[in-house]
Amino acid sequence: MDENNVTRISIIYLLGFTIPQSIKCFVFFLFLMIYCVTVGGNLLIIALVINSRALQTPMYFFLSQLSTTDILLVTNILPNVLRNILLKEKTISFTDCLSQFYFFAMSEGMECFLLSVMSYDRYLAICKPLHYTLMMTHQFCWTAVIICWVLIMLIVMIITLTVTKLKFCGPNIIDHFFCDFDPILELSCSDITKVQLEVTLINAVFVVIPFFFIIASYTYIIVTIFKIQSVTGRKKAFSTCSSHLIVVSMYYGTLLCAYLVPKGQTLKTTKFMSLLYTVFTPLINPLVYSLRNKDLKQAAGKLIGQLKSAVNKILLHWKPCKLLKQA
């Protein structure tokens, strides 16, 4: 095939989910509610960390960054899913498709980095408590986060630019609910071997290595916890990292199932597994941290109290309220 004469793809059809007409409204409002709760829950965590002095620690700083990543991920995916549920023509421009892939890959990669840094934070807190304040400084936290953001943006930019150099001649149909890497490559009529090799190497360095780093950190943490003599001490030490361990298990569990075992799966199963780590993991993350964390609960209680007092002051000085009281 002469690659100079191929028809370039400009519009892509995202097939998404096959939803019966009778339950379309229900599915739409379900996803809308999930989106609102996810964004609201993660924004609440960010607000609590900024507002509360008790939460001005490295662990909660990294948690606020994780919440930012979750908001970016779900905002990149769900609005387009909601649009496609309502509209008959489920189209997206090729440029928008690549943009969606860029922000998806960036948020997923950033989550891997942040979970690794958070595991290092827990490792220092439990295994090296005397060195914690010296090593986990405010400057270190900001430097680590900035390096992670810059690094992941550059890495994903390289991948995206490499993909744009390919020729895309169709068919212009993606049987998925968002523009993932493999479905995009299926549209190409160029040789994709080099791109696949490049992405495999990048994934090995920036996804697999952080995963094993987390495993190594938690191996040391578990060994240290078992060395603690008192049962109370063990429970207290484990409680400080249990939420993070649950989030790591959910995130990497669904990610590995979606990408390492896809070939024998049906498309419906692949979509469902992708739905878990792109939509439900960002929803569950704030719930896991808030339900299992006393500091966050106390900070939320104080914030609600402050909001109530602020509303009461506004109502007291509002003229219609004064007239009602006088009447």
Side-chain angles (χ1 to χ4, degrees):
M1 184 185 289
D2 185 0
E3 292 188 348
N4 294 319
N5 296 324
V6 296
T7 305
R8 301 293 181 88
I9 292 174
S10 58
I11 298 293
I12 292 171
Y13 291 88
L14 276 172
L15 297 184
F17 299 99
T18 306
I19 304 168
Q21 191 67 35
S22 57
I23 62 166
K24 266 194 175 182
C25 284
F26 170 75
V27 174
F28 174 82
F29 283 109
L30 176 65
F31 277 115
L32 181 62
M33 185 176 69
I34 288 170
Y35 178 65
C36 292
V37 172
T38 303
V39 173
N42 283 293
L43 280 175
L44 178 61
I45 285 180
I46 295 168
L48 290 175
V49 172
I50 293 170
N51 185 65
S52 176
R53 287 184 181 180
L55 302 181
Q56 301 295 317
T57 62
M59 181 176 73
Y60 294 112
F61 171 74
F62 292 130
L63 178 57
S64 68
Q65 294 297 314
L66 188 67
S67 292
T68 304
T69 307
D70 284 337
I71 291 170
L72 176 64
L73 175 60
V74 78
T75 302
N76 183 46
I77 302 292
L78 267 185
N80 196 58
V81 171
L82 291 168
R83 173 181 167 273
N84 288 345
I85 289 171
L86 291 179
L87 299 179
K88 288 183 179 179
E89 287 194 6
K90 305 173 181 181
T91 59
I92 185 172
S93 70
F94 185 72
T95 306
D96 288 345
C97 189
L98 285 179
S99 298
Q100 189 182 54
F101 164 71
Y102 175 81
F103 286 107
F104 158 72
M106 186 177 71
S107 53
E108 288 291 329
M110 188 61 191
E111 191 133 352
C112 289
F113 283 171
L114 281 173
L115 290 173
S116 301
V117 176
M118 290 170 81
S119 69
Y120 178 66
D121 172 72
R122 292 300 83 205
Y123 163 76
L124 286 178
I126 294 169
C127 302
K128 308 280 185 184
L130 297 177
H131 297 87
Y132 184 78
T133 52
L134 293 172
M135 298 181 73
M136 198 57 66
T137 61
H138 184 75
Q139 185 180 356
F140 172 83
C141 293
W142 272 107
T143 304
V145 165
I146 290 168
I147 288 171
C148 286
W149 276 112
V150 171
L151 198 58
I152 199 64
M153 284 192 284
L154 289 174
I155 293 161
V156 178
M157 181 62 74
I158 291 167
I159 295 170
T160 308
L161 288 174
T162 307
V163 170
T164 58
K165 290 176 183 177
L166 300 173
K167 298 291 187 295
F168 292 90
C169 49
N172 61 337
I173 297 170
I174 290 179
D175 194 1
H176 213 322
F177 62 91
F178 72 99
C179 295
D180 203 353
F181 180 70
D182 288 334
I184 290 173
L185 287 191
E186 287 175 7
L187 309 181
S188 176
C189 48
S190 303
D191 182 11
I192 59 173
T193 309
K194 189 183 287 186
V195 183
Q196 287 177 319
L197 181 62
E198 179 183 296
V199 171
T200 303
L201 291 171
I202 289 171
N203 283 341
V205 175
F206 296 103
V207 178
V208 178
I209 289 176
F211 177 62
F212 282 108
F213 178 81
I214 293 168
I215 290 174
S217 298
Y218 272 98
T219 302
Y220 281 107
I221 288 168
I222 291 166
V223 170
T224 304
I225 288 172
F226 276 113
K227 286 179 180 178
I228 298 171
Q229 298 297 323
S230 67
V231 177
T232 309
R234 286 180 193 173
K235 285 183 179 179
K236 189 177 179 181
F238 185 74
S239 67
T240 61
C241 59
S242 58
S243 297
H244 179 251
L245 191 57
I246 291 167
V247 169
V248 168
S249 302
M250 287 192 306
Y251 178 73
Y252 274 103
T254 53
L255 200 66
L256 291 171
C257 288
Y259 286 103
L260 295 187
V261 205
K263 304 224 168 158
Q265 295 177 345
T266 62
L267 282 169
K268 286 183 180 179
T269 309
T270 304
K271 287 179 190 177
F272 175 73
M273 295 307 299
S274 299
L275 194 68
L276 286 179
Y277 69 82
T278 56
V279 176
F280 289 102
T281 300
L283 169 68
I284 293 167
N285 281 358
L287 295 175
V288 169
Y289 278 105
S290 58
L291 290 174
R292 298 180 61 87
N293 194 293
K294 290 180 181 178
D295 292 334
L296 280 173
K297 287 179 184 178
Q298 289 173 358
K302 286 180 182 178
L303 184 63
I304 291 167
Q306 288 171 0
L307 290 173
K308 279 183 179 178
S309 65
V311 170
N312 288 334
K313 283 180 182 178
I314 291 168
L315 291 174
L316 283 170
H317 292 88
W318 196 33
K319 287 184 178 180
C321 290
K322 284 182 177 180
L323 291 171
L324 281 171
K325 281 186 177 182
Q326 287 173 2

